Amino acid sequence: MKALVYEGPGKKDWKEVPDPRIQQPTDVIVRMEATTICGTDLHILKGDVPAVTPGRILGHEGIGVVTEVGDGVAGLEEGDRVILACVSSCGRCSYCKQGLNSHCLAEEGASGIGWIFGHLIDGTQAEYVRVPFAENSVYKVPEGVTDAEGILLSDILPTGFEIGVRKGRTKPGDVVAVIGAGPVGLAAVMTSRLYGPSKVIAVDLDDNRLARAEEFGATDTVNSGEDDWQEQVRALTDGLGVDVAMEAVGIPATFTAATEIVRPGGTVANMGVHGKPVELAINDLWISDIAITMGLVSASTLPMLLKLVAGKKLPADRFVTHEFPFERILDAYEVFGNAAEENALKVLIR
């Protein structure tokens, strides 16, 4: 088969590799119908994730058809069309039983790390993939759900919902601000509407992305390149700040900004992947009664979100702005790596 192989920082190649095979009774093999690229893949290519070694097949999102089933798998059979969760779950360890699949203690990849696809084992940017713990890590696709809808359920919709909306303790009537209107930020904008906030404010430097945020459910937008942007955000509240500030960029300046616009008693929910430490002004914040939350998606809400997508309650396919065949996956990386210039959100590769 062919796959997108990491060959060291700055190097990747779409090339011939051995087909995957069943290694454990709980495995299945899936023929990939579609995959996509995540910002984490770009971090890997920059050398920011040293656990990813040369020779690793990249990717942790996908939708496909089961072609082979391990002897220990029940409830799945050849021909089933499935969504692959970005985080694997053994279903048995103490963390998986809590719904914290991101900390799965099974030894596949490494104990304590649920994100293994494209990280510690071969991933989904390939014609075929081996899926461990298949009963807990793939979900059958209901009739009528397209590739463009299903692919968003692998990662970004659960990430925006679990790490932004739920960890942000969003409640009906809240004023929510999402800093960063990229794919994950927009997923938080979209899924926050499920909890009935009074306002959802999208904050970004790019007016094109702010316009798109309105399509995803933002009631208000603020360009953070303007000197008075924080005052504009407060003006949309009672002057005291937002109830929930979600950070979806992953740089010190945006995290700090989130702590500056949240009201006393509010919550800062960090969704961004940070590559360097952030200075926390705890000398100012300790008296504000705020909570700061963070985490890696567990994809435990995937089944619930899948029902909403299947019922056309969440227009997930709006995220897909570009499509490529597998043989043009290198072009897809070029477009996704220059998302602002290409006006790209998610690229569908199939």
Side-chain angles (χ1 to χ4, degrees):
M1 71 169 187
K2 283 198 167 182
L4 196 285
V5 179
Y6 174 69
E7 297 187 331
K11 300 176 183 178
K12 60 187 181 298
D13 192 17
W14 176 250
K15 66 181 188 179
E16 201 73 31
V17 298
D19 290 351
R21 58 181 180 81
I22 297 285
Q23 296 181 21
Q24 300 293 335
T26 53
D27 292 350
V28 298
I29 304 297
V30 174
R31 174 177 54 79
M32 300 303 297
E33 285 189 339
T35 187
T36 187
I37 304 168
C38 178
T40 306
D41 297 319
L42 301 184
H43 279 288
I44 290 170
L45 286 166
K46 291 176 183 176
D48 293 342
V49 188
V52 181
T53 55
R56 176 70 62 227
I57 296 171
L58 296 181
H60 52 265
E61 301 162 89
I63 186 168
V65 175
V66 175
T67 60
E68 190 176 352
V69 180
D71 293 339
V73 176
L76 292 169
E77 57 187 34
E78 292 181 19
D80 284 342
R81 185 163 170 256
V82 294
I83 297 167
L84 282 63
C86 63
V87 169
S88 300
S89 168
C90 73
R92 296 181 176 181
C93 74
S94 59
Y95 285 120
C96 288
K97 287 180 178 178
Q98 295 176 58
L100 286 173
N101 305 341
S102 55
H103 298 286
C104 177
L105 293 170
E107 294 183 358
E108 179 81 42
S111 180
I113 299 176
W115 167 45
I116 54 177
F117 278 139
H119 178 207
L120 303 175
I121 69 170
D122 286 336
T124 61
Q125 291 171 11
E127 293 177 327
Y128 291 86
V129 62
R130 179 182 74 90
V131 182
F133 312 120
E135 289 183 23
N136 306 306
S137 303
V138 306
Y139 298 86
K140 293 181 183 180
V141 183
E143 193 71 30
V145 173
T146 66
D147 289 348
E149 292 171 321
I151 201 73
L152 275 301
L153 289 157
S154 281
D155 186 351
I156 69 165
L157 274 184
T159 296
F161 182 65
E162 293 176 19
I163 309 304
V165 180
R166 287 206 316 183
K167 283 189 177 291
R169 305 188 296 189
T170 307
K171 304 181 300 299
D174 278 353
V175 177
V176 172
V178 180
I179 301 177
V184 170
L186 292 176
V189 168
M190 178 182 284
T191 57
S192 69
R193 306 299 302 174
L194 298 173
Y195 279 40
S198 60
K199 292 181 181 178
V200 180
I201 307 165
V203 180
D204 202 283
L205 290 166
D206 188 330
D207 286 332
N208 289 326
R209 288 205 163 181
L210 290 174
R212 186 160 280 165
E214 292 180 328
E215 300 173 10
F216 282 79
T219 58
D220 301 271
T221 61
V222 173
N223 189 309
S224 53
E226 298 176 9
D227 292 340
D228 66 340
W229 77 268
Q230 292 194 19
E231 286 71 23
Q232 292 181 48
V233 170
R234 290 191 184 90
L236 294 168
T237 73
D238 55 7
L240 297 179
V242 302
D243 298 285
V244 184
M246 304 181 197
E247 197 281 333
V249 181
I251 60 173
T254 49
F255 178 83
T256 298
T259 67
E260 292 172 345
I261 63 171
V262 70
R263 66 187 296 117
T267 304
V268 174
N270 178 79
M271 298 183 289
V273 178
H274 289 263
K276 59 177 66 175
V278 175
E279 184 173 331
L280 182 67
I282 197 167
N283 54 311
D284 296 323
L285 295 172
W286 73 272
I287 204 170
S288 297
D289 289 302
I290 67 166
I292 297 175
T293 67
M294 61 198 72
L296 176 66
V297 65
S298 286
S300 56
T301 62
L302 196 160
M304 179 272 290
L305 294 170
L306 177 55
K307 290 179 181 178
L308 294 173
V309 169
K312 308 305 177 185
K313 304 298 184 184
L314 290 175
D317 55 342
R318 290 183 185 175
F319 285 90
V320 175
T321 55
H322 296 72
E323 294 191 24
F324 296 87
F326 271 108
E327 58 266 25
R328 290 187 57 205
I329 193 169
L330 296 178
D331 294 332
Y333 263 92
E334 188 68 23
V335 167
F336 188 73
N338 295 282
E341 295 85 348
E342 300 287 347
N343 200 21
L345 286 180
K346 293 294 281 186
V347 296
L348 184 66
I349 303 161
R350 58 182 177 182

